[in-house]
Amino acid sequence: MLLISALFILMPGIDLAVTRQFYVPGDGFPLAHNGRLQDLRMVGSNIPVAVAVVVIAALALKMLHPRRPCLLPARFTLYFASLYLLGPVLLVNGIFKTLWGRPRPVKVEAFGGSFPFLDAWSLGESFTHRSFVSGEAATVACLLPLALFVPRPWRWRVLAMLGMLVAMVSLNRVAFGAHFLSDILIAIAMVLTIAVVLRQVFYVSHAELFCDARLETELTRIGLAAQARIRRDLDAVAILLAGRLAIAARGVRRLGA
């Protein structure tokens, strides 16, 4: 990520040169109106979201039915849940999309907009059209580590397929004038960095701590404790409501007398 960032900071013209390939003076970014590319964007957005929903659903079902085994391997589930939450949710949309105001290409003067071009990592002042970094590229990049969890003979083929999907979806955003190339590559690099660190923690340096059997036991304990707490809270609410109803009933009887 540092090398990619350094490249675009030292040579910001790369962003302009790549974006210019998709810009038509007076017509903006015509590919943004291409139906097939819009469908590609929808598919590219829905696939990683579907994977995230399945992962979160597996955790939710484990909490609802803590005595049953996790729908997916516990370590796999926590790994991808952590990747999505730390990457696209927290780092990209929670921090960068909040603090960095780099304008999108379609809003830059060189491409018919009103804002000056800013290179990668510039904070900027565009508070409604933030380009740095790409949330969609970061989200779809979360699919790449899936290749590590398929049988070894298939890994390179799966990685190539996922890599092609990530590349098409990401470049689609450049063609639409929504992001610069640096927004895309830095977002993907951020997610892959987090993925490598998490894999090191979950599967290497703390493999015993995060083994499936231990995680299953811990998730079961947490689920049972949560259910017990909810039952206690519901019982307390029921007792409180019963008391209030009893007081109200006595008041009604006094009025009737």
Side-chain angles (χ1 to χ4, degrees), residues 64-238:
L64 291 173
H65 304 282
R67 296 190 185 279
R68 296 182 182 180
C70 197
L71 184 64
L72 299 172
R75 179 159 50 179
F76 173 91
T77 303
L78 286 178
Y79 173 81
F80 275 96
S82 300
L83 179 60
Y84 274 100
L85 291 174
L86 292 176
V89 175
L90 178 61
L91 186 61
V92 174
N93 289 298
I95 297 178
F96 283 92
K97 288 292 189 180
T98 301
L99 301 178
W100 268 258
R102 185 189 193 188
R104 296 182 184 274
V106 71
K107 296 297 179 179
V108 169
E109 292 171 341
F111 305 110
S114 57
F115 290 95
F117 168 76
L118 298 176
D119 57 17
W121 292 99
S122 295
L123 289 175
E125 298 179 353
S126 175
F127 299 108
T128 57
H129 302 282
R130 300 174 185 272
S131 181
F132 191 80
V133 288
S134 171
E136 290 185 38
T139 303
V140 74
C142 289
L143 297 176
L144 291 173
L146 285 172
L148 299 174
F149 296 91
V150 301
R152 189 176 296 274
W154 288 96
R155 286 183 183 176
W156 284 109
R157 292 180 177 85
V158 172
L159 181 61
M161 292 173 58
L162 293 174
M164 187 177 300
L165 175 64
V166 172
M168 289 190 301
V169 172
S170 299
L171 289 176
N172 199 18
R173 304 300 290 144
V174 178
F176 283 11
H179 286 288
F180 290 106
L181 182 62
S182 58
D183 300 326
I184 300 295
L185 295 182
I186 293 174
I188 294 173
M190 285 180 180
V191 169
L192 292 183
T193 300
I194 295 173
V196 170
V197 172
L198 288 176
R199 184 166 178 83
Q200 176 68 23
V201 172
F202 277 77
Y203 290 89
V204 181
S205 61
H206 295 80
E208 293 184 2
L209 179 64
F210 292 104
C211 68
D212 286 328
R214 188 165 186 172
L215 286 176
E216 280 281 358
T217 300
E218 189 63 19
L219 288 174
T220 298
R221 184 191 66 79
I222 294 173
L224 291 174
Q227 289 186 355
R229 177 61 183 271
I230 292 173
R231 283 194 295 269
R232 288 195 300 269
D233 291 343
L234 290 176
D235 289 342
V237 171

